[in-house]
């Protein structure tokens, strides 16, 4: 059965992680996979997470099954974090939230559910988007179409072209938007642009699906969900998948959530029963530990504050690194203008390098980045910045 199955190339992002680990160059730099790193190049367990874990260790009485929807406390508290308490209250029974195995689990659960409600429907994704959106959504049966989003030459959002493409989307079609900190380009929609999308969705009747993987890593916990809250407040239906991998640093614990907002409270029972049945058929139930940590943190004001201030430090560090990178490149005499990096949000930006330049950075300098020239800004630190700037300067001066 398995003798003729063809092998596949490594995943474009996970393969980089493995290649970086194999590289014996002591000067190597990891700007690849989207994992937050501190000034020491480490991805530490957050102090609030450690504290919640020790509370759980002392208090947990059972490891019995929790069910396909996960923990009710987690679902309620994550909804409050994403939508805020007023909107959560006003959505009332029109909202259901399911704990999922990470953001990926949430995206797949959503896609399988959508495919039941509207088989073989179309989903519009940004060009570019996170590469894993394609298998996560497409292998569930959705047809993927792309809309223009980022202009590599002007380093800005192609908003008019995006709106012209989305004007073709109608009822039964979905439009996937990145809630904040766009992955891979870091260029986020402005409030006015979110408002224009809101109007278009209301006029054309397509369903918006928001992937929210970086809440708190752009401008702030509330600021980063401006668009999510705007649309949740006015559209009849909405899908939001949120992740706790980055903002709680819980990557390997796999914590995420799928929220579906329906037009009427009456349809929630049917929707919830379908989502529960899809989850049961894929993984039965989400893992508990990471979600229990999040529920513990969000449920205690002191822990919540501790986590919020750790998250603020992470965000501030990333934003400072953006400024530092731009300043250092300019000071080193690089003629290309990298100022756009300062305006972009979250962990990622494109450096705008050619395939040959990227290959040279990886092979000749051991500086790892995704083959689109996406860098994880958080991978820069005081120990590697000189080597990074020297290498980029040498490479860019050679190619001018
Ligand atoms: C990334 O984009 O690097 C992260 O979201 C990690 C992943 O799974 O690809």
């Amino acid at each position: 059965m398995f003798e003729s199955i063809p092998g596949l190339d490594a995943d474009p992002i996970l393969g980089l992680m493995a290649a970086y680990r194999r590289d014996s160059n002591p000067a190597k730099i990891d700007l690849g996979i989207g994992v937050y790193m501190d000034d020491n190049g480490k991805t530490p367990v957050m102090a609030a997470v450690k504290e919640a874990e020790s509370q759980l260790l002392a208090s947990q009485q059972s490891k019995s099954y929790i069910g396909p929807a996960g923990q009710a406390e987690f679902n309620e508290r994550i909804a409050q974090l994403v939508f805020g308490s007023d909107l959560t209250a006003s959505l009332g029974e029109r909202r259901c939230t399911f704990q999922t195995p990470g953001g990926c689990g949430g995206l797949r659960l959503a896609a399988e559910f959508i495919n039941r409600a509207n088989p073989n429907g179309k989903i519009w994704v940004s060009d570019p988007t996170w590469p894993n959106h394609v298998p996560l959504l497409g292998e569930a049966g959705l047809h993927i179409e792309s809309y223009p989003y980022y202009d590599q030459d002007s380093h800005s959002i192609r908003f008019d072209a995006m709106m012209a493409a989305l004007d073709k989307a109608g009822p039964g079609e979905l439009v996937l938007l990145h809630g904040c900190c766009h992955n891979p380009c870091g260029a986020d929609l402005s409030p006015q642009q979110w408002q224009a999308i809101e109007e278009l969705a209301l006029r054309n009747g397509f369903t918006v699906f928001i992937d929210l993987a970086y809440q708190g890593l752009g401008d702030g916990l509330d600021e980063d969900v401006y668009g999510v809250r705007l649309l949740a407040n006015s559209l009849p239906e909405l899908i939001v998948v949120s992740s706790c991998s980055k903002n709680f640093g819980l990557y390997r614990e796999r914590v995420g959530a799928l929220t579906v907002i329906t037009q009427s409270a009456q349809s929630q029972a049917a929707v919830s029963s379908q989502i529960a049945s899809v989850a049961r058929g894929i993984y039965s139930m989400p893992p508990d530990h990471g979600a229990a940590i999040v529920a513990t943190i969000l449920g205690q004001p002191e822990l919540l504050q501790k986590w919020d201030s750790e998250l603020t430090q992470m965000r501030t560090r990333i934003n400072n690194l953006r400024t530092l990178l731009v300043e250092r490149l300019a000071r080193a005499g690089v003629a290309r203008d990298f100022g756009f990096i300062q305006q972009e949000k979250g962990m990622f930006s494109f450096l705008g390098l050619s395939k040959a330049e990227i290959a040279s950075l990886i092979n000749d300098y051991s500086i790892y980045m995704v083959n689109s020239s996406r860098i994880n800004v958080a991978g820069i630190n005081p120990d590697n910045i000189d080597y990074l700037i020297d290498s980029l300067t040498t490479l860019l001066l050679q190619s001018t």
Side-chain angles (χ1 to χ4, degrees):
M1 186 183 288
F2 310 123
E3 291 313 298
S4 56
I5 191 156
L8 296 175
D9 291 339
D11 175 271
I13 296 176
L14 302 184
L16 267 185
M17 189 168 76
Y20 174 80
R21 285 183 183 157
R22 279 195 307 269
D23 191 333
S24 58
N25 182 350
K28 66 183 178 178
I29 304 180
D30 180 8
L31 306 179
I33 190 160
V35 166
Y36 178 79
M37 284 171 263
D38 64 13
D39 265 355
N40 302 311
K42 299 273 180 291
T43 305
V45 181
M46 293 172 91
V49 166
K50 278 279 184 207
E51 204 170 314
E53 279 187 306
S54 61
Q55 287 186 22
L56 285 168
L57 190 64
S59 66
Q60 204 171 43
Q61 299 298 329
S62 175
K63 295 283 187 192
S64 179
Y65 290 126
I66 43 171
Q71 274 198 27
E73 294 81 17
F74 169 83
N75 291 335
E76 197 47 41
R77 289 172 193 161
I78 209 72
Q80 302 263 349
L81 184 72
V82 172
F83 300 102
S85 43
D86 292 350
L87 184 56
T88 306
S90 75
L91 288 170
E93 302 286 303
R94 288 178 52 218
R95 171 191 64 85
C96 69
T97 300
F98 271 66
Q99 178 188 321
T100 59
C104 285
L107 289 165
R108 186 50 170 259
L109 182 63
E112 298 279 354
F113 162 66
I114 292 163
N115 205 42
R116 282 195 183 182
N118 182 36
N120 306 313
K122 191 187 280 182
I123 183 160
W124 295 77
V125 305
S126 61
D127 173 21
T129 196
W130 181 48
N132 209 28
H133 277 147
V134 174
L136 279 170
L137 306 171
E139 287 173 20
L142 306 182
H143 292 286
I144 297 179
E145 185 111 13
S146 62
Y147 59 84
Y149 188 77
Y150 188 73
D151 186 83
Q152 297 276 3
D153 296 324
S154 64
H155 307 286
S156 58
I157 298 179
R158 302 173 61 191
F159 193 66
D160 292 344
M162 168 180 175
M163 292 300 275
L166 294 186
D167 201 23
K168 293 189 217 116
E173 296 179 32
L174 288 113
V175 172
L176 182 74
L177 300 168
H178 296 227
C180 63
C181 307
H182 188 282
N183 180 4
C185 70
D188 283 348
L189 297 165
S190 67
Q192 294 70 26
Q193 290 171 333
W194 279 107
Q195 288 157 22
I197 292 168
E198 174 196 23
E199 279 167 29
L200 189 67
L202 285 168
R203 192 167 66 239
N204 284 17
F206 56 74
T207 303
V208 176
F209 181 156
I210 300 179
D211 184 358
L212 181 66
Y214 298 88
Q215 186 183 2
L217 286 160
D219 287 324
L221 279 171
D222 290 323
E223 292 82 346
D224 290 349
V225 285
Y226 173 84
V228 175
R229 291 181 184 173
L230 180 81
L231 301 188
N233 191 40
S234 59
L235 300 187
E237 297 184 334
L238 185 72
I239 296 167
V240 181
V241 169
S242 48
S243 166
C244 301
S245 293
K246 332 276 164 159
N247 53 7
F248 285 85
L250 284 168
Y251 311 88
R252 67 176 67 166
E253 299 293 355
R254 313 308 299 138
V255 197
L258 162 63
T259 294
V260 177
I261 296 171
T262 51
Q263 190 161 4
S264 71
Q266 289 69 28
S267 42
Q268 270 299 334
V271 166
S272 294
S273 71
Q274 290 283 351
I275 297 174
S277 136
V278 173
R280 179 77 171 138
I282 316 179
Y283 51 79
S284 189
M285 294 167 208
D288 173 67
H289 185 67
I293 293 168
V294 172
T296 305
I297 293 173
L298 297 179
Q300 295 176 27
E302 263 181 38
L303 262 187
L304 175 61
Q305 211 190 348
K306 190 171 198 165
W307 166 72
D308 192 2
S309 71
E310 287 180 86
L311 181 62
T312 301
Q313 273 176 31
M314 289 159 63
R315 175 173 65 243
T316 308
R317 182 171 171 279
I318 292 174
N319 288 333
N320 290 344
L321 282 169
R322 287 182 172 278
T323 307
L324 185 68
L325 179 61
V326 174
E327 284 175 0
R328 290 285 308 263
L329 283 168
R331 231 190 305 144
V334 172
R336 265 188 230 179
D337 180 12
F338 285 94
F340 62 92
I341 293 178
Q342 235 169 315
Q343 317 307 324
E344 294 174 348
K345 304 286 175 196
M347 295 215 246
F348 309 119
S349 276
F350 287 127
L351 282 184
L353 304 179
S354 67
K355 294 282 181 241
E357 289 169 332
I358 300 160
S360 170
L361 280 171
I362 296 177
N363 300 325
D364 306 331
Y365 296 89
S366 299
I367 297 175
Y368 288 79
M369 66 188 60
V370 181
N371 63 6
S372 55
S373 89
R374 185 196 83 171
I375 59 161
N376 172 13
V377 178
I380 303 172
N381 63 49
D383 289 335
N384 66 23
I385 185 135
D386 290 340
Y387 177 63
L388 175 66
I389 299 296
D390 286 351
S391 310
L392 282 173
T393 312
T394 313
L395 186 84
L396 293 172
L397 292 179
Q398 267 166 13
S399 53
T400 46

